[in-house]
Amino acid sequence: MYSDLTNGLPFMKMHGLGNDFVVLDAREKDVLDARADGTPALPKVTPALAQAIGHRQFGVGFDQLAVITSGAADAHLTFFNADGSTSAACGNATRCIARFLMEETGKTQLHLTTDRGDLAARDAGNGLTSVNMGHPQLDWDEIPLARQMDTLELPIDGAPTATGMGNPHCTFFVDDVDAIDLAGFGPGIEHHALYPERTNVQIAQIIGPDHIRMRVWERGVGITLASGSSSCATAVAAARRGLTGRAVRIDLDGGTLHIDWREDGVWMTGPSAHVFSGVLTPSFLESLT
C-alpha cells in the first residue's frame, strides 16, 4: 500500500461506531522514519503531518491516525490523535485494523503489538471482532496521576474514577448523560492538574446491572461518537464501584460495544467498517515538507 511523493500515499478510512480513523499501511516501508539515502521520501509522521491529514476541511479528517508496521507479531500499530499527540492505545482502531488483517490473511486470531503492549484479536462471528485490551491499570502512578491517591474516587467534583488502559481515563457516573454539556465539561477535565498527561473523559449512566449508557470526550480530539478504550475503562470503573458486573453492554452515541473484564484482560467486542480507500496526492504531501 506504500508509495512515495511521486505517486502519492495510499490510505484507508475506517470507523468503529463512528469513531473514525485514517490508516496507513506501512508494512513494506516505514513511514515513521524518513529515508536516509536521499531519495524522495514520505514525510515522517510528525504531529504536523497528523494534524494536516486529520483536518476535516483541509485534509481527510479523523479522530485518530493509525500506522500499521511489521513486527515480531502479525503487525505493530502506532496511534496519533487529531491534535498530533500520540496515544499508546486505541481500541476501536485496533478492532478495525484487526478485521482488515483477518480478511487479508484468512486468520481468525491475531497477535498485535502496540505501545500499550501485546494485544490478542479474534473473529467473534457475525461480522464482529473482539480485542483483548489488556489488564487495566488501577494504581495512581500507572495511570498516571500527579500524586498518590485512591483511584476509585478522585478528589474532583463528582468523585470520578481513574483508570488506565494504556491511556488515562476519568469516568463520572451521572443520572442522565444527555443532561451534561460535554463540550463545556470535557476540556477542563482533560487538562485537570491531577492528570499530567491529560485524560480521556467519560460520563456514564447505569441503566442496569449489565447495561451502561456512555458519552466520551477524547484526549487530543474532543467529543467522539465512540471510544473503545473509554468503554473498557468505564466498564472497569463500574465493576470496581459495584454498579455493574464485569460483563456489560455499553451504548455510545455511535452504537453498542460489549465489554467483558476477564482474568486475562478486558475484552471488547463490536463492529467495524472499512469505508473507502484513497490516495493523498503528491501536491498535498509536498506542501507539508
Side-chain angles (χ1 to χ4, degrees):
M1 188 174 178
Y2 173 92
S3 187
D4 58 27
L5 288 180
T6 302
N7 300 310
L9 175 62
F11 69 91
M12 295 176 283
K13 188 69 184 290
M14 300 180 176
H15 78 82
L17 304 179
N19 188 195
D20 66 328
F21 317 103
V22 165
V23 180
L24 304 179
D25 186 350
R27 285 174 290 173
E28 294 183 7
K29 299 285 186 179
D30 190 356
V31 300
L32 295 177
D33 293 302
R35 295 179 190 172
D37 61 4
T39 59
L42 289 167
K44 291 167 59 176
V45 180
T46 61
L49 175 59
Q51 287 177 327
I53 298 174
H55 198 291
R56 294 193 182 276
Q57 285 74 44
F58 295 104
V60 180
F62 60 72
D63 290 332
Q64 276 86 26
L65 169 69
V67 181
I68 312 172
T69 51
S70 299
D74 290 298
H76 182 81
L77 310 182
T78 304
F79 306 108
F80 298 82
N81 295 318
D83 69 351
S85 60
T86 58
S87 178
C90 183
N92 280 329
T94 300
R95 194 174 68 256
C96 289
I97 293 169
R99 171 57 56 180
F100 165 73
L101 294 174
M102 284 190 283
E103 291 177 351
E104 176 187 72
T105 64
K107 295 182 177 180
T108 58
Q109 298 186 61
L110 296 173
H111 174 194
L112 304 173
T113 58
T114 69
D115 291 345
R116 155 72 164 148
D118 290 8
L119 304 180
R122 67 189 185 195
D123 183 355
N126 299 315
L128 302 178
T129 305
S130 294
V131 174
N132 184 345
M133 294 296 293
H135 293 286
Q137 297 154 314
L138 306 179
D139 294 333
W140 71 273
D141 55 339
E142 294 180 329
I143 291 171
L145 299 177
R147 62 180 187 271
Q148 185 173 4
M149 66 187 68
D150 181 4
T151 62
L152 192 61
E153 294 190 3
L154 300 182
I156 299 174
D157 287 347
T161 297
T163 310
M165 290 300 310
N167 49 8
H169 296 270
C170 185
T171 307
F172 292 81
F173 292 97
V174 301
D175 293 332
D176 182 1
V177 298
D178 295 313
I180 305 296
D181 175 15
L182 185 56
F185 178 72
I189 302 300
E190 176 188 350
H191 294 273
H192 197 284
L194 285 182
Y195 284 90
E197 297 180 4
R198 298 182 294 162
T199 185
N200 298 282
V201 183
Q202 302 87 37
I203 51 173
Q205 176 182 343
I206 304 300
I207 306 299
D210 60 356
H211 190 184
I212 299 173
R213 166 80 171 104
M214 187 193 84
R215 299 184 67 210
V216 59
W217 174 277
E218 284 201 70
R219 176 184 63 163
V221 182
I223 294 174
T224 57
L225 296 178
S227 169
S229 63
S230 289
S231 297
C232 293
T234 295
V236 168
R240 290 180 66 202
R241 294 177 73 141
L243 301 174
T244 66
R246 291 167 69 104
V248 295
R249 163 185 169 175
I250 297 188
D251 293 335
L252 302 114
D253 290 343
T256 297
L257 289 175
H258 293 272
I259 309 297
D260 191 358
W261 184 13
R262 304 178 190 173
E263 291 300 318
D264 63 344
V266 184
W267 284 87
M268 169 193 62
T269 301
S272 60
H274 180 175
V275 183
F276 65 88
S277 297
V279 179
L280 297 171
T281 66
S283 61
F284 175 79
L285 294 172
E286 287 170 354
S287 73
L288 305 176
T289 57

